[in-house]
Amino acid sequence: MQMVVTDPATGLELGSVAVAQTDDVERAVAAASAAFESWSAVPVVERARMLFRYADALERRHEDLARSVSRENGKTIADARAEVRRGIEAVEFACGMPSLMMGDALPDIARDVDCVSLRFPLGVCAGITPFNFPSMIPLWMFPIAIAAGNTFVLKPSPQTPLTADLLADVSRDAKFPDGVLTVVHGAADTVNALIDHPGIAAVSFVGSSHVARIVQERAVRAHKRVQALGGAKNFLVVMPDGVKQSTVDAIMSSAFGGAGQRCLAGSVVVAVGAAAERLPQMLVDAARGLRLGCGLDAATDVGPVISHDAIARIDGYVERAQKDGATMLLAPDPAARDAKGSFLSPVVFDRVDPESELAREEIFGPVLAIVRTATLDEAIAIANRSRYGNASSIFTADGGSARTFANRIEVGMVGVNVGVAAPMAFFPFGGVKESIFGDLRCHGKDAVAFYTQQRVVISRWP
Ligand code: NAD
């Protein structure tokens, strides 16, 4: 069975991929298991050398990859190029595996007894990825897993599978041995087949919280190691001394970059005290100036959302927010609607009830809510009542406010005068609460810990 991939900007078919049947999953895991035997025995410096080749090969295909991301996801070509860059950085991080995988040693832990702690690969790892970063999120996973000596089966989003195939093509340029990286396509059934397969040792997942929970629970029942990163609702707190054009620019990029379809998208602005006097109008003026269009057009600021289904879902939130009494400062532009492409212009609501659906649920579209509070304490309390805990930012000129915020906000990634608090590949990426199921995060040292198992060897030589 073929799965059709649609260009969200035109509604035209971009291509199709074959959905993996039970036999295909079996074959992929068997190939990965067979490859693991030899791959795990390749010295780590040689494995790293292959990753250096891969980083070079990705660099040569950077523009092809970015265009593929922009076409199938809809994001602007500038965002797509930046996404591929972040992905290549994760490969560069993986190139450091000889140092990253080093264990610890302590002589004479008792009389004439020495102890070393070593890291070994796990076996075949599976990765399940979302539609919103078709190149970067797979690259958070398999390069690090493979450099650590594992083999990998990737199941990308059915909405953006073509870039994953391109990543696999590039791996052939870098001479990955057969079975070290395999891509299988499909949806929930394919994911379940991978999780349940006795040949799979570990599962990395990034997607919505609803599915992250399902994946984590299923993997735990199968006694698999699992990390499952989920959704988000990110609060951007603006202090009165933070109201300035650079803050507005950062909020525009955070709220409407990628058409609001990022797990780091700032979707609620909390205007503290006098910040609410000028900020809402500044945000509306800036949002109105954003140009909607096809991502591949260099003049576009906001591309389409992923599908017409996504538009229907987002429209539902907008309608209910109006019924809930929020003030719509910037309405969706009916002229932006297109029967073919899935375009939705930026929407801004003010005086949003902090407990309403609009302020609490992940909308995953270009909709920004403004909540007004009297104090920073109140702003932090509102953000901390979220069931999510991915990222949050403060905009201020005051170090004390920034410090209080960074110490008390309950998220995994904090921005200070930064709208998208994205750590680079050598730091861990992930949140707390329902933004993660499992404990270890993606990339950074967490990923090395996730993709390796430790063994201590205690020796005496009488
Ligand atoms: P999704 O959860 O719908 O899909 C993610 C993956 O899970 C896909 O590969 C999909 O095929 C698979 N899947 C879907 N339903 C499944 C099921 N019932 N059982 C098993 N597998 C299933 O997410 P999406 O719409 O592709 O991506 C958007 C979501 O991802 C948002 O919630 C966003 O916040 C989140 N996200 C989180 C991060 C992060 O770092 N925390 C990063 C990017 C995206």
Side-chain angles (χ1 to χ4, degrees):
M1 197 180 82
Q2 291 294 117
M3 213 161 53
V4 171
V5 186
T6 308
D7 179 342
T10 61
L12 298 175
E13 185 177 328
L14 282 175
S16 63
V17 292
V19 177
Q21 305 301 309
T22 316
D23 288 2
D24 301 313
V25 171
E26 280 299 332
R27 263 195 299 278
V29 179
S33 301
F36 177 70
E37 293 244 332
S38 45
W39 182 244
S40 55
V42 170
V44 64
V45 280
E46 289 179 33
R47 298 199 301 254
R49 220 165 273 146
M50 187 185 81
L51 271 297
F52 276 112
R53 285 201 302 272
Y54 191 50
D56 271 355
L58 289 170
E59 206 65 76
R60 284 194 297 276
R61 303 286 296 275
H62 190 161
E63 190 59 18
D64 292 345
L65 284 158
R67 293 184 78 77
S68 170
V69 166
S70 176
R71 256 196 312 270
E72 66 176 350
N73 168 279
K75 67 177 66 177
T76 64
I77 186 69
D79 275 358
R81 288 184 186 125
E83 149 171 4
V84 175
R85 170 65 46 220
R86 296 283 92 79
I88 294 175
E89 284 161 4
V91 182
E92 290 166 348
F93 171 74
C95 291
M97 198 50 75
S99 311
L100 292 167
M101 250 183 112
M102 268 186 202
D104 296 312
L106 189 65
D108 297 314
I109 55 164
R111 192 161 304 279
D112 293 335
V113 177
D114 303 328
C115 186
V116 292
S117 149
L118 308 170
R119 287 192 178 274
F120 291 90
L122 306 172
V124 183
C125 302
I128 296 128
T129 53
F131 78 82
N132 65 334
F133 283 94
S135 69
M136 182 186 78
I137 294 180
L139 289 172
W140 282 356
M141 297 177 179
F142 70 79
I144 301 171
I146 287 171
N150 302 285
T151 56
F152 205 91
V153 180
L154 171 67
K155 204 299 290 171
S157 164
Q159 291 172 293
T160 55
L162 301 175
T163 306
D165 281 349
L166 200 49
L167 292 173
D169 272 359
V170 181
S171 78
R172 284 184 275 280
D173 296 347
K175 301 197 170 39
F176 279 33
D178 286 348
V180 166
L181 171 67
T182 311
V183 177
V184 294
H185 294 292
D189 288 349
T190 314
V191 174
N192 291 342
L194 284 169
I195 297 173
D196 295 346
H197 198 295
I200 296 288
V203 178
S204 296
F205 172 92
V206 177
S208 59
S209 292
H210 169 70
V211 181
R213 185 195 293 274
I214 293 173
V215 164
Q216 189 240 13
E217 289 178 354
R218 192 167 184 126
V220 166
R221 274 199 302 277
H223 198 201
K224 304 284 166 79
R225 187 177 285 209
V226 57
Q227 55 176 181
L229 276 61
K233 187 77 183 174
N234 305 313
F235 292 74
L236 306 176
V237 174
V238 184
M239 300 301 288
D241 60 9
V243 179
K244 51 178 98 162
Q245 194 54 43
S246 58
T247 298
V248 171
D249 295 346
I251 294 174
M252 286 301 107
S253 154
S254 179
F256 302 123
Q261 302 167 113
R262 290 186 188 141
C263 70
L264 292 181
S267 51
V268 182
V269 164
V270 188
V272 177
E277 287 168 14
R278 285 169 51 231
L279 185 66
Q281 194 54 48
M282 289 170 83
L283 292 174
V284 168
D285 291 345
R288 199 174 269 130
L290 295 174
R291 211 180 123 169
L292 200 66
C294 170
L296 286 171
D297 178 347
T300 295
D301 297 310
V302 180
V305 296
I306 189 67
S307 64
H308 285 282
D309 285 352
I311 292 211
R313 193 194 68 241
I314 299 163
D315 279 348
Y317 283 110
V318 171
E319 280 161 25
R320 291 191 294 277
Q322 284 176 286
K323 283 193 195 125
D324 281 352
T327 310
M328 194 190 264
L329 293 184
L330 184 61
D333 177 5
R337 299 287 166 128
D338 181 332
K340 297 190 179 115
S342 38
F343 290 100
L344 183 61
S345 65
V347 180
V348 181
F349 282 99
D350 193 8
R351 299 182 187 279
V352 173
D353 173 352
E355 304 312 324
S356 66
E357 180 188 66
L358 192 66
R360 292 293 163 201
E361 295 302 315
E362 180 177 43
I363 296 170
F364 226 55
V367 181
L368 182 63
I370 303 172
V371 167
R372 298 172 175 228
T373 66
T375 63
L376 175 59
D377 279 352
E378 204 185 321
I380 292 173
I382 287 170
N384 284 350
R385 282 202 292 277
S386 176
R387 64 191 171 96
Y388 298 107
N390 217 37
S392 190
S393 297
I394 186 168
F395 293 88
T396 181
D398 175 45
S401 302
R403 186 168 185 273
T404 300
F405 180 79
N407 285 343
R408 292 190 15 218
I409 192 81
E410 292 163 8
V411 296
M413 296 168 279
V414 179
V416 177
N417 299 316
V418 166
V420 179
M424 287 178 75
F426 21 89
F427 287 100
F429 189 113
V432 297
K433 299 198 256 181
E434 289 186 33
S435 293
I436 195 164
F437 295 82
D439 41 23
L440 293 168
R441 298 177 183 183
C442 281
H443 59 64
K445 288 179 194 154
D446 273 31
V448 178
F450 183 78
Y451 292 121
T452 55
Q453 57 191 318
Q454 292 192 74
R455 189 175 302 157
V456 288
V457 181
I458 300 149
S459 316
R460 171 186 281 145
W461 292 92

mmCIF file of all heavy atoms in Angstrom, residues 435-453:
data_model
loop_
_atom_site.group_PDB
_atom_site.id
_atom_site.type_symbol
_atom_site.label_atom_id
_atom_site.label_comp_id
_atom_site.label_asym_id
_atom_site.label_seq_id
_atom_site.Cartn_x
_atom_site.Cartn_y
_atom_site.Cartn_z
ATOM 1 N N SER A 435 5.461 16.927 28.959
ATOM 2 C CA SER A 435 6.260 17.136 27.751
ATOM 3 C C SER A 435 7.290 16.021 27.575
ATOM 4 O O SER A 435 8.017 16.012 26.569
ATOM 5 C CB SER A 435 6.958 18.505 27.793
ATOM 6 O OG SER A 435 5.997 19.528 27.711
ATOM 7 N N ILE A 436 7.365 15.132 28.544
ATOM 8 C CA ILE A 436 8.273 13.983 28.374
ATOM 9 C C ILE A 436 7.733 12.780 29.148
ATOM 10 O O ILE A 436 7.194 12.925 30.244
ATOM 11 C CB ILE A 436 9.718 14.335 28.824
ATOM 12 C CG1 ILE A 436 10.719 13.284 28.319
ATOM 13 C CG2 ILE A 436 9.818 14.490 30.334
ATOM 14 C CD1 ILE A 436 12.180 13.711 28.376
ATOM 15 N N PHE A 437 7.858 11.631 28.534
ATOM 16 C CA PHE A 437 7.537 10.368 29.213
ATOM 17 C C PHE A 437 8.809 9.538 29.138
ATOM 18 O O PHE A 437 9.298 9.238 28.052
ATOM 19 C CB PHE A 437 6.348 9.679 28.527
ATOM 20 C CG PHE A 437 5.083 10.487 28.658
ATOM 21 C CD1 PHE A 437 4.821 11.542 27.794
ATOM 22 C CD2 PHE A 437 4.186 10.231 29.682
ATOM 23 C CE1 PHE A 437 3.676 12.320 27.937
ATOM 24 C CE2 PHE A 437 3.037 11.007 29.842
ATOM 25 C CZ PHE A 437 2.788 12.052 28.964
ATOM 26 N N GLY A 438 9.344 9.199 30.278
ATOM 27 C CA GLY A 438 10.701 8.636 30.318
ATOM 28 C C GLY A 438 11.568 9.693 30.964
ATOM 29 O O GLY A 438 11.076 10.767 31.335
ATOM 30 N N ASP A 439 12.835 9.413 31.152
ATOM 31 C CA ASP A 439 13.644 10.402 31.858
ATOM 32 C C ASP A 439 14.723 11.050 31.004
ATOM 33 O O ASP A 439 14.880 12.258 31.022
ATOM 34 C CB ASP A 439 14.213 9.835 33.158
ATOM 35 C CG ASP A 439 14.697 8.413 33.014
ATOM 36 O OD1 ASP A 439 14.995 8.015 31.873
ATOM 37 O OD2 ASP A 439 14.771 7.694 34.021
ATOM 38 N N LEU A 440 15.464 10.260 30.230
ATOM 39 C CA LEU A 440 16.572 10.860 29.485
ATOM 40 C C LEU A 440 16.065 11.619 28.263
ATOM 41 O O LEU A 440 15.158 11.164 27.571
ATOM 42 C CB LEU A 440 17.573 9.778 29.081
ATOM 43 C CG LEU A 440 18.311 9.142 30.264
ATOM 44 C CD1 LEU A 440 19.053 7.888 29.820
ATOM 45 C CD2 LEU A 440 19.274 10.136 30.893
ATOM 46 N N ARG A 441 16.678 12.767 27.991
ATOM 47 C CA ARG A 441 16.226 13.637 26.907
ATOM 48 C C ARG A 441 16.967 13.321 25.599
ATOM 49 O O ARG A 441 17.793 12.420 25.564
ATOM 50 C CB ARG A 441 16.457 15.085 27.318
ATOM 51 C CG ARG A 441 15.655 15.431 28.553
ATOM 52 C CD ARG A 441 15.931 16.844 29.029
ATOM 53 N NE ARG A 441 15.186 17.094 30.264
ATOM 54 C CZ ARG A 441 15.176 18.242 30.898
ATOM 55 N NH1 ARG A 441 15.879 19.261 30.426
ATOM 56 N NH2 ARG A 441 14.482 18.405 32.007
ATOM 57 N N CYS A 442 16.660 14.093 24.573
ATOM 58 C CA CYS A 442 17.336 13.896 23.288
ATOM 59 C C CYS A 442 18.664 14.666 23.273
ATOM 60 O O CYS A 442 18.814 15.685 23.939
ATOM 61 C CB CYS A 442 16.467 14.390 22.141
ATOM 62 S SG CYS A 442 15.181 13.213 21.694
ATOM 63 N N HIS A 443 19.538 14.260 22.486
ATOM 64 C CA HIS A 443 20.934 14.710 22.297
ATOM 65 C C HIS A 443 21.647 15.147 23.585
ATOM 66 O O HIS A 443 21.137 14.957 24.683
ATOM 67 C CB HIS A 443 21.094 15.676 21.114
ATOM 68 C CG HIS A 443 20.335 16.968 21.093
ATOM 69 N ND1 HIS A 443 20.524 17.956 21.993
ATOM 70 C CD2 HIS A 443 19.425 17.436 20.195
ATOM 71 C CE1 HIS A 443 19.765 18.994 21.659
ATOM 72 N NE2 HIS A 443 19.076 18.699 20.586
ATOM 73 N N GLY A 444 22.869 15.669 23.446
ATOM 74 C CA GLY A 444 23.678 15.936 24.629
ATOM 75 C C GLY A 444 24.061 14.629 25.315
ATOM 76 O O GLY A 444 23.875 13.534 24.773
ATOM 77 N N LYS A 445 24.570 14.759 26.538
ATOM 78 C CA LYS A 445 25.040 13.562 27.256
ATOM 79 C C LYS A 445 23.894 12.611 27.575
ATOM 80 O O LYS A 445 24.102 11.408 27.741
ATOM 81 C CB LYS A 445 25.743 13.979 28.548
ATOM 82 C CG LYS A 445 27.103 14.610 28.285
ATOM 83 C CD LYS A 445 27.767 15.033 29.579
ATOM 84 C CE LYS A 445 28.939 15.950 29.307
ATOM 85 N NZ LYS A 445 29.223 16.845 30.419
ATOM 86 N N ASP A 446 22.666 13.154 27.693
ATOM 87 C CA ASP A 446 21.517 12.280 27.924
ATOM 88 C C ASP A 446 21.395 11.223 26.827
ATOM 89 O O ASP A 446 21.074 10.066 27.094
ATOM 90 C CB ASP A 446 20.201 13.088 27.942
ATOM 91 C CG ASP A 446 19.880 13.641 29.314
ATOM 92 O OD1 ASP A 446 20.826 13.925 30.062
ATOM 93 O OD2 ASP A 446 18.683 13.806 29.632
ATOM 94 N N ALA A 447 21.620 11.653 25.583
ATOM 95 C CA ALA A 447 21.455 10.723 24.466
ATOM 96 C C ALA A 447 22.526 9.637 24.516
ATOM 97 O O ALA A 447 22.261 8.472 24.206
ATOM 98 C CB ALA A 447 21.517 11.469 23.142
ATOM 99 N N VAL A 448 23.721 10.009 24.935
ATOM 100 C CA VAL A 448 24.797 9.006 25.044
ATOM 101 C C VAL A 448 24.407 7.988 26.117
ATOM 102 O O VAL A 448 24.544 6.780 25.942
ATOM 103 C CB VAL A 448 26.144 9.682 25.369
ATOM 104 C CG1 VAL A 448 27.244 8.644 25.518
ATOM 105 C CG2 VAL A 448 26.494 10.710 24.302
ATOM 106 N N ALA A 449 23.864 8.483 27.226
ATOM 107 C CA ALA A 449 23.419 7.573 28.288
ATOM 108 C C ALA A 449 22.272 6.696 27.792
ATOM 109 O O ALA A 449 22.219 5.497 28.078
ATOM 110 C CB ALA A 449 22.986 8.373 29.515
ATOM 111 N N PHE A 450 21.362 7.317 27.018
ATOM 112 C CA PHE A 450 20.196 6.553 26.557
ATOM 113 C C PHE A 450 20.609 5.413 25.625
ATOM 114 O O PHE A 450 20.088 4.308 25.712
ATOM 115 C CB PHE A 450 19.183 7.472 25.848
ATOM 116 C CG PHE A 450 17.947 6.737 25.421
ATOM 117 C CD1 PHE A 450 16.964 6.419 26.345
ATOM 118 C CD2 PHE A 450 17.780 6.316 24.112
ATOM 119 C CE1 PHE A 450 15.833 5.696 25.973
ATOM 120 C CE2 PHE A 450 16.659 5.595 23.727
ATOM 121 C CZ PHE A 450 15.683 5.288 24.668
ATOM 122 N N TYR A 451 21.534 5.706 24.709
ATOM 123 C CA TYR A 451 21.877 4.711 23.681
ATOM 124 C C TYR A 451 23.002 3.767 24.100
ATOM 125 O O TYR A 451 23.525 3.041 23.258
ATOM 126 C CB TYR A 451 22.245 5.417 22.368
ATOM 127 C CG TYR A 451 21.070 6.110 21.706
ATOM 128 C CD1 TYR A 451 21.088 7.477 21.454
ATOM 129 C CD2 TYR A 451 19.932 5.398 21.325
ATOM 130 C CE1 TYR A 451 20.012 8.118 20.846
ATOM 131 C CE2 TYR A 451 18.845 6.025 20.724
ATOM 132 C CZ TYR A 451 18.897 7.386 20.492
ATOM 133 O OH TYR A 451 17.826 8.016 19.887
ATOM 134 N N THR A 452 23.390 3.796 25.373
ATOM 135 C CA THR A 452 24.433 2.876 25.831
ATOM 136 C C THR A 452 24.010 2.243 27.156
ATOM 137 O O THR A 452 23.225 2.818 27.909
ATOM 138 C CB THR A 452 25.777 3.605 26.070
ATOM 139 O OG1 THR A 452 25.572 4.682 26.981
ATOM 140 C CG2 THR A 452 26.382 4.130 24.788
ATOM 141 N N GLN A 453 24.538 1.054 27.415
ATOM 142 C CA GLN A 453 24.325 0.464 28.738
ATOM 143 C C GLN A 453 25.668 0.373 29.458
ATOM 144 O O GLN A 453 26.705 0.154 28.831
ATOM 145 C CB GLN A 453 23.675 -0.908 28.641
ATOM 146 C CG GLN A 453 24.447 -1.908 27.803
ATOM 147 C CD GLN A 453 23.603 -3.137 27.555
ATOM 148 O OE1 GLN A 453 22.942 -3.605 28.462
ATOM 149 N NE2 GLN A 453 23.631 -3.654 26.330
#
